Amino acid sequence: MSKRISSRPKLVVPERAVRRAVRDWLDAKRIPYVPIEARKPIRKNGQVIFTSERPEDRGIADFLAFRGISINPWPEVHEFPPRNIRRWVHVVAIECKRSHGGRHSEAQKAFQARWAAWGFTYLLVRSVDELIAQWPR
């Protein structure tokens, strides 16, 4: 009996869709974040490519999420400092890649090493399921 080999290609989810899903998950969990768009489009040899305006911006993650901030929607107006904001914040850098074949560049690896040296968390995710599994507790 021979094995049947499927000729159907794997479904590849583009990075833009992964970023959108990560943004939706962060919004649903009420986790404050900043999307990072440190790239500008330029034309080179008739193709549009994205590059950083400054060399030190190359490799920065797609999102910086602030874990540990808990905001009460009904704060006490007259209290200072407000009890509704925790005292500690942990910043999580999230780099999104397409589901199959997305590569981590050397600049991104350098940023990841710098970020870890500062004591923060860096997540490389290809889906929301990976984000949930890796999210720091």
Side-chain angles (χ1 to χ4, degrees):
M1 181 164 206
S2 65
K3 288 185 180 179
R4 184 173 182 173
I5 299 174
S6 174
S7 62
R8 292 172 38 193
K10 290 181 179 178
L11 176 66
V12 177
V13 179
E15 183 175 329
R16 181 178 57 229
V18 175
R19 278 200 311 263
R20 189 177 308 121
V22 166
R23 182 179 299 132
D24 290 346
W25 184 82
L26 292 168
D27 284 338
K29 292 292 186 178
R30 300 182 55 147
I31 297 170
Y33 65 91
V34 176
I36 306 296
E37 293 297 334
R39 300 162 196 92
K40 70 174 186 173
I42 62 168
R43 286 202 175 270
K44 188 173 185 179
N45 298 331
Q47 292 183 330
V48 176
I49 61 170
F50 289 88
T51 184
S52 175
E53 292 187 32
R54 301 182 311 170
E56 60 270 20
D57 289 343
R58 291 190 183 131
I60 194 166
D62 294 321
F63 294 96
L64 297 180
F66 303 96
R67 185 183 148 265
I69 295 179
S70 175
I71 300 174
N72 181 350
W74 300 283
E76 298 291 332
V77 177
H78 301 292
E79 79 181 69
F80 186 85
R83 288 182 305 187
N84 63 332
I85 298 176
R86 294 183 191 166
R87 294 270 181 203
W88 60 273
V89 175
H90 185 80
V91 183
V92 179
I94 304 169
E95 177 63 37
C96 301
K97 293 291 176 196
R98 61 187 172 139
S99 61
H100 297 342
R103 289 185 293 182
H104 207 194
S105 71
E106 291 302 318
Q108 289 168 334
K109 289 176 185 175
F111 177 80
Q112 179 180 10
R114 221 175 35 226
W115 197 251
W118 292 334
F120 294 115
T121 303
Y122 184 95
L123 304 178
L124 177 64
V125 300
R126 297 175 190 283
S127 68
V128 173
D129 292 336
E130 282 188 15
L131 175 63
I132 294 167
Q134 295 178 28
W135 188 256
R137 305 275 176 234

